Amino acid sequence: MNHKLKTVVIDDEQNAVDFIISIISEYCIDLEVSGQANNVSDGVSLIGKVHPDLVLLDVEMPNGTGFDLLSHFPEKDFDVVFITAFNHYAIKAIRFSAVDYILKPININEFIEAIQRVVVKRSKQAPGSDQKLKVLMENLRTPIPSRLVIPVSDGLEYLNPKDIIRIEADRSYSWFYLTGDRKILVSKNLKEYQDLLGDRSFFRPHNSFLINLRYVKKYVKKEGGYILMTDGSQIPVARSRKDIFIEHMARFRG
């Protein structure tokens, strides 16, 4: 990278701001802190004045949220890394949208890794080419996020979870089997997607599979028991998960 990324830190806790700036000065040589703010209105003014490359943004502040701040910038030519508490209501929307975030209390290694992902991304792409924030703002408008952003080899896929028939583990990767006979390889493990989709119509009948109950055609008892999906695939059911699966199907209203 030829120049340092102009970075602003916006957080209502001054000790958090000071800690973030100290991490940057010690470990993040690609960043240059160009300003700080402690609330939404000052943050909006700061971004307008500095035109940063990167905004490190607290989610919850006294006079509004980080999302309120972003709504002032319909066209965002900067990257954002959110700083948030794990139990914040928006954490699922943030994860669904594959936007980077750092949990409080801040772990230095996690902070450095998140910054490095931004640095690498900006070295490969033109600023402002990232659509993740737009998807995030869409997802925040609904109680249940409606678009899942998944990283693929040549970019990003934006999926409606209803179009996922099943996900199959392949070591640290995952295969997505979609409607329309489509199949996508994703460089994240199955547990990641179980955490995101598990409170919907998805069920994990076996260590290697996460299925969408909408596409279950039949449960077959023979050969140890397996699930026949509408795409013709046969999904094994772990012995310890059989009763739970049958219970889920009895309650499922799709």
Side-chain angles (χ1 to χ4, degrees), residues 237-249:
V237 184
R239 186 178 285 112
S240 62
R241 306 290 289 165
K242 285 180 187 176
D243 291 344
I244 303 170
F245 166 71
I246 290 168
E247 194 179 299
H248 268 65
M249 285 304 296

Side-chain angles (χ1 to χ4, degrees), residues 13-69:
E13 298 175 16
Q14 188 58 45
N15 61 346
V17 173
D18 294 341
F19 185 51
I20 289 167
I21 291 173
S22 71
I23 300 172
I24 291 172
S25 64
E26 189 163 352
Y27 300 105
C28 305
I29 60 171
D30 295 304
L31 269 52
E32 173 183 86
V33 177
S34 302
Q36 58 177 280
N38 299 112
N39 57 59
V40 170
S41 55
D42 288 350
V44 170
S45 299
L46 178 64
I47 291 172
K49 176 184 174 185
V50 171
H51 301 292
D53 301 304
L54 172 62
V55 176
L56 300 175
L57 182 61
D58 190 10
V59 172
E60 201 66 55
M61 289 178 279
N63 65 338
T65 68
F67 311 122
D68 296 328
L69 180 148

Side-chain angles (χ1 to χ4, degrees), residues 99 116 143 154 159 219 252:
V99 175
Q116 197 54 40
D154 58 350
L159 298 179
Y219 172 63
F252 179 62

Side-chain angles (χ1 to χ4, degrees), residues 198-243:
D199 59 351
R200 298 188 172 214
S201 58
F202 287 80
F203 180 76
R204 192 169 181 175
H206 183 280
N207 273 347
S208 298
F209 298 92
L210 184 67
I211 63 170
N212 190 336
L213 298 179
R214 279 187 190 86
Y215 298 103
V216 170
K217 186 175 182 180
K218 184 179 182 181
Y219 172 63
V220 181
K221 290 182 179 178
K222 65 180 183 179
E223 297 174 17
Y226 64 87
I227 299 162
L228 181 64
M229 304 295 287
T230 55
D231 66 350
S233 57
Q234 296 181 6
I235 309 299
V237 184
R239 186 178 285 112
S240 62
R241 306 290 289 165
K242 285 180 187 176
D243 291 344

